[in-house]
Amino acid sequence: MKLSLLKRKETPSFLRRWMKGIQAGSIQSIIMWSFSVFILVIVAIVAVLLYDKFSRTAEQNVFLSTQQIVDQVSYNLEDYVDGMAQLYRAIEENMLADGQWDDDQVTRQLDTIMSSRDDIVSIGLFDDQGSLLRNHPSMPVRESARVSQQSWFHSAMRVSNHLSFSLPHVQNLYDDTYKWVVSMSKGITVVHDGEPMHVVLLVDINFKKIDELSSRISLGKRGYVYIIDEGAGNIVYHPQQQLIYMGLRNESVEKALTSSDSYIDESAGLKRLNTVKSVVNIGWKVVGVSYLDEIMTTREEMNRYLVQVVAVVLVLAVLISLLLSAMLTRPIRRMGQTMKAVERGDFNVELPLKGPLEVVQLSSRFNLMLDKIRQLMRQIIVEQESKRKYELEALQAQINPHFLYNTLNSVVRMVGMSKNEEVITMITSLSKLFRISLSKGKTSITVGEELEHARHYLTIQQMRFKRKFDFTIDADEASLSCFTLKLVLQPLIENAIVHGIEYMVDEGLIRISARVQGDMLVLEVADNGVGMPQQKVESILADTQSYKDESRIDSGSGSGVAVRNVHDRIRLYYGIQYGLEFESEQEEGTTVRVYIPVMRETGEEARDDE
Amino acid sequence: MNKRCKLLKMLGLCALMLAAAGLSACSTSQLGNVEESPIRIALVAPVHAEEQGDAMRLGADAAAKEFAVELEYISFEPMEGAKEQLSAALQIVQKGASAVLIDPADERVLTELAASAFAAGAPVVALNDERTAKGVMAAIAIDNEEAGRKAGEAMAELLGGSGTVAILRSDRSDPDLEQREAGARAVLAEYAGIRITDGAVCGNSRDACWQAAKQLLDKGPLDGVLALEIQASLGVSDELKRREEQGKTKIVTFGNELEQLELLQEGIIHKLVVQNGFSTGYLGVKQAVALLSGERIEKLTLLETKVIDADNMFWMNNQKTLFPFVQ
């Protein structure tokens, strides 16, 4: 059961495997084989069709030509027999018209007739007992001839006044000659010497004419013609008559006797075409025999020729398909080699743009792709470098020595002035500030923590600047739990104090707010300081790509570098659609908005791999 | 590197296929050449037997046409004998005949021809001769003993079982003729009433045989004469005609020469044991073709003989054997 199942499965799976094998093969071999097979199939079909057509035509031609030849033989024979019958009538009229056959006039006339036709062997007139009355040429009849027992005499006596033709036989009437003749005989009643008399007129015609006529015919190489007597099937003429009589050869006369058209029989293992045609006036049948294996020989020759043609075409097809496939696959292989080089890490390669259209397109795409890859790689290198720099800077921002020094100075001053309460507040804020700054090395913290950090920073700065400004912090409940990069706000606040508030005459106000706007978290640092001209607003965030590294050396000094740093960090972390937005009016104040995506969980996990 | 190897392999395959195609074309053209130079078979006629030789030629011609071979016929003048036959036969072997059919005049002709033909690689088929020699690959002959038996039977029948019979032999020693004689003697010995007297011997000439017959008949009347050869039968007939005793002494003989047939019709010769020359020639060529194409054949083919008398000589199927030529 299992076995049979397996077996049943085997064939299609084999086929499938084969198909797969073809599909898996190289383009070169696919093109070559399919092209070769295609041409071979076409040529084979054409060859088979041609062969079929040719062989059928050849066969028809043989049938037709045999038929025509046999017809021709039969017509010739009929004509000949007709002529002989006319001759017989002429002889009969001359000899028997007036019942006298002995006078000179008859002799002269017979001489004329004899000399006009060389195929008349002899003319003889016998009485009804078989004794000679008159013959021409005049010769003694052999005693042993037994005229009355000869077949032509019998048939003349049997039906009187009817011209009968005998089968060819050896004439044995006269001395020294044994000629093959066909006897024409007729029983006639004439008035001789005033008395009615029954006589038999015999005209022997030479069989040579008929023999030659028949033996000259050849049908194909070995085909021949034979003649039989329609009455009894006796052989009148056969090229191998003796062999038939000796039993060395067989001719199936019976079939020819009953047939009136052509038929195929088999003799000695060979198929033969027999074509039969009757010769009506003498009661004979002409049978043409042609050997069908001779047609087969031409067929075989043609077969061989076709095989040769197919072989040559196949060889040509394989050669051409080999060249074609090699030509087509060369650029693909070149491409493969180039790709291999890329695989090894060599990105500085380029495919030449030549070859067929598709290959050119593919090559140019490949080149473009390679170009893009190169570009991306460069970009990645740049990004990685800047990321590392920002992180270093952020690290530096965590413990800004300048800020620490200023704060501590303020603390010392306050201690000197014995403002203990303020000292406590300041140091507590400082410590909390640093705690959040460090926040266990994490890069993102909650907005709440960030705002807390901002508050502590503002508290310290407020004390340092001797309450030169005030500040407010508002936040949505929803925004508090969102995560953000840490220390985003501090540079902005520092910026607001240093550039907005410090030079102000009046008391400044810094408003910090956080809110969720759609899927965006917006952090806002607004001051009512001196503001900036529009030109400067634009220049702060102008093309982060193009700024020079050298210009960023004095970070934290207030040249806007720290702010841009924040902007770049955000864009690097969250994408280029996020970042800072400045809005400033001179003498009115500046508002900086930080746009980052709403993230409900720490981005730490997602960023772990970075 | 690998790809180049593959390409080379494929190119090699193509070259091979081209070579194969070329080879097949070559072989067909060779076949064509073979067809252009067909097998040539030579038929060396017997000496002193024109009718028989011509009948053989007729048969050989028929076979040559049937088997698509070329036939070369070598005939001899009545004067020519064994010597001329041998030289003609050797010449045709030298000319490169594929096979030789010969009705040898004597044993020497056969052995020498066979040796020379064997050296040339052409098979020899002996006609009307059972003798073998090295190089004779096949023989077509009548069963001479059977023919002798038939002659003996015919004689006994003619004599009604009693009478005196003389046998006219040849002066040559020919195993064929000896077998004929043995066969005839064996049959005649069975009839108590038939006495075989001393026969006579004559050569291959009508006159010599006439003389021999004369001497034989001078010894006393004979009821029957069995002539083993053609010339002997003609000699006896001549003597009987001279004595005007034709018909009284029964003559039984072998052969189908025209003169014998005339004598048969006239009642001077009474029975003829006839062989079919056409079949001999036909089968000779057939065997030669079979030998040349490497088939295995029976070495000796024995042919039937027929007893012909004046009554049946003009029967349809005997006419063709007795009178093979349409003149």
Side-chain angles (χ1 to χ4, degrees), chain A residues 540-557:
Chain A
I540 290 173
L541 298 177
D543 197 2
T544 45
Q545 300 290 342
S546 67
Y547 65 78
K548 302 280 184 285
D549 283 359
E550 300 91 67
S551 70
R552 299 173 66 237
I553 289 171
D554 52 350
S555 64
S557 71

Side-chain angles (χ1 to χ4, degrees), chain A residues 174-456:
Chain A
Y174 308 110
D175 279 336
D176 295 325
T177 111
Y178 286 111
K179 274 189 172 160
W180 279 88
V181 293
V182 172
S183 298
M184 296 190 284
S185 60
K186 188 162 149 185
I188 307 160
T189 310
V190 289
V191 179
H192 181 63
D193 294 340
E195 280 177 37
M197 189 178 181
H198 200 68
V199 293
V200 174
L201 176 63
L202 167 76
V203 176
D204 280 340
I205 53 174
N206 203 329
F207 182 59
K208 195 178 180 180
K209 268 272 164 63
I210 296 171
D211 189 84
E212 275 176 359
L213 181 76
S214 314
S215 64
R216 249 187 264 131
I217 307 297
S218 51
L219 299 166
K221 274 180 194 151
R222 288 178 298 150
Y224 56 87
V225 163
Y226 70 90
I227 303 172
I228 53 168
D229 162 32
E230 253 178 333
N234 287 315
I235 289 175
V236 173
Y237 167 81
H238 194 291
Q240 296 177 343
Q241 202 162 355
Q242 299 211 47
L243 293 178
I244 294 168
Y245 286 147
M246 288 292 288
L248 292 174
R249 211 192 143 83
N250 220 345
E251 196 71 71
S252 54
V253 175
E254 295 80 14
K255 218 166 175 190
L257 264 181
T258 52
S259 173
S260 60
D261 202 1
S262 51
Y263 62 92
I264 288 174
D265 71 351
E266 212 175 299
S267 159
L270 293 173
K271 279 200 168 171
R272 315 183 311 168
L273 171 69
N274 294 257
T275 309
V276 185
K277 174 87 184 169
S278 287
V279 188
V280 181
N281 55 7
I282 196 169
W284 291 351
K285 261 185 172 177
V286 179
V287 185
V289 177
S290 42
Y291 286 81
L292 285 176
D293 64 331
E294 281 169 14
I295 311 171
M296 302 299 169
T297 320
T298 34
R299 222 184 266 179
E300 258 167 41
E301 264 168 36
M302 203 162 57
N303 214 350
R304 213 176 302 137
Y305 179 72
L306 282 178
V307 165
Q308 279 170 20
V309 167
V310 169
V312 168
V313 166
L314 181 64
V315 168
L316 283 179
V318 168
L319 272 178
I320 290 171
S321 53
L322 207 68
L323 285 176
L324 194 75
S325 56
M327 215 171 71
L328 286 178
T329 50
R330 201 184 313 129
I332 295 177
R333 249 183 281 132
R334 202 171 51 208
M335 218 179 269
Q337 277 167 354
T338 313
M339 284 178 182
K340 210 174 254 175
V342 172
E343 200 179 290
R344 279 196 305 269
D346 180 8
F347 288 89
N348 294 318
V349 288
E350 194 151 333
L351 277 174
L353 296 179
K354 60 182 183 188
L357 181 66
E358 286 83 356
V359 171
V360 169
Q361 285 176 346
L362 208 61
S363 297
S364 78
R365 289 269 150 72
F366 179 77
N367 286 344
L368 281 176
M369 197 176 75
L370 213 60
D371 213 42
K372 189 77 192 167
I373 288 176
R374 281 196 292 262
Q375 203 182 317
L376 282 174
M377 277 170 62
R378 266 200 304 274
Q379 198 180 326
I380 284 171
I381 290 168
V382 168
E383 281 177 3
Q384 287 294 329
E385 277 174 2
S386 35
K387 209 171 177 180
R388 221 154 282 148
K389 231 166 250 164
Y390 301 149
E391 273 164 10
L392 191 70
E393 278 159 15
L395 213 62
Q396 282 174 349
Q398 282 168 16
I399 311 162
N400 193 329
H402 190 71
F403 169 70
L404 192 60
Y405 155 78
N406 283 340
T407 309
L408 287 177
N409 257 357
S410 303
V411 170
V412 168
R413 212 174 46 241
M414 278 182 232
V415 169
M417 288 156 76
S418 302
K419 290 179 177 171
N420 283 341
E421 279 302 309
E422 286 181 14
V423 167
I424 290 167
T425 311
M426 199 154 189
I427 288 186
T428 310
S429 286
L430 190 65
S431 102
K432 283 188 177 155
L433 182 86
F434 278 120
R435 196 173 56 100
I436 295 169
S437 264
L438 293 171
S439 53
K440 294 170 192 164
K442 283 189 270 184
T443 48
S444 47
I445 51 176
T446 59
V447 171
E449 283 169 318
E450 179 69 16
L451 290 177
E452 187 70 13
H453 181 267
R455 196 167 58 82
H456 290 304

Side-chain angles (χ1 to χ4, degrees), chain A residues 118-185:
Chain A
D118 60 348
D119 42 6
I120 296 174
V121 175
S122 66
I123 299 163
L125 190 66
F126 300 86
D127 65 9
D128 52 4
Q129 299 305 310
S131 38
L132 185 73
L133 297 173
R134 165 83 210 264
N135 66 355
H136 192 95
S138 197
M139 280 184 295
V141 172
R142 281 180 202 255
E143 285 165 28
S144 54
R146 305 181 206 177
V147 172
S148 59
Q149 286 175 27
Q150 304 226 4
S151 67
W152 54 264
F153 191 81
H154 277 295
S155 46
M157 293 305 286
R158 203 165 47 235
V159 188
S160 80
N161 230 2
H162 169 77
L163 177 62
S164 65
F165 287 84
S166 78
L167 291 174
H169 64 102
V170 172
Q171 191 199 50
N172 58 356
L173 296 173
Y174 308 110
D175 279 336
D176 295 325
T177 111
Y178 286 111
K179 274 189 172 160
W180 279 88
V181 293
V182 172
S183 298
M184 296 190 284
S185 60

Side-chain angles (χ1 to χ4, degrees), chain B residues 64-81:
Chain B
K65 192 186 176 219
E66 188 174 333
F67 300 114
V69 295
E70 212 172 77
L71 186 78
E72 198 163 333
Y73 182 67
I74 298 156
S75 59
F76 301 97
E77 297 296 313
M79 334 277 300
E80 290 174 325

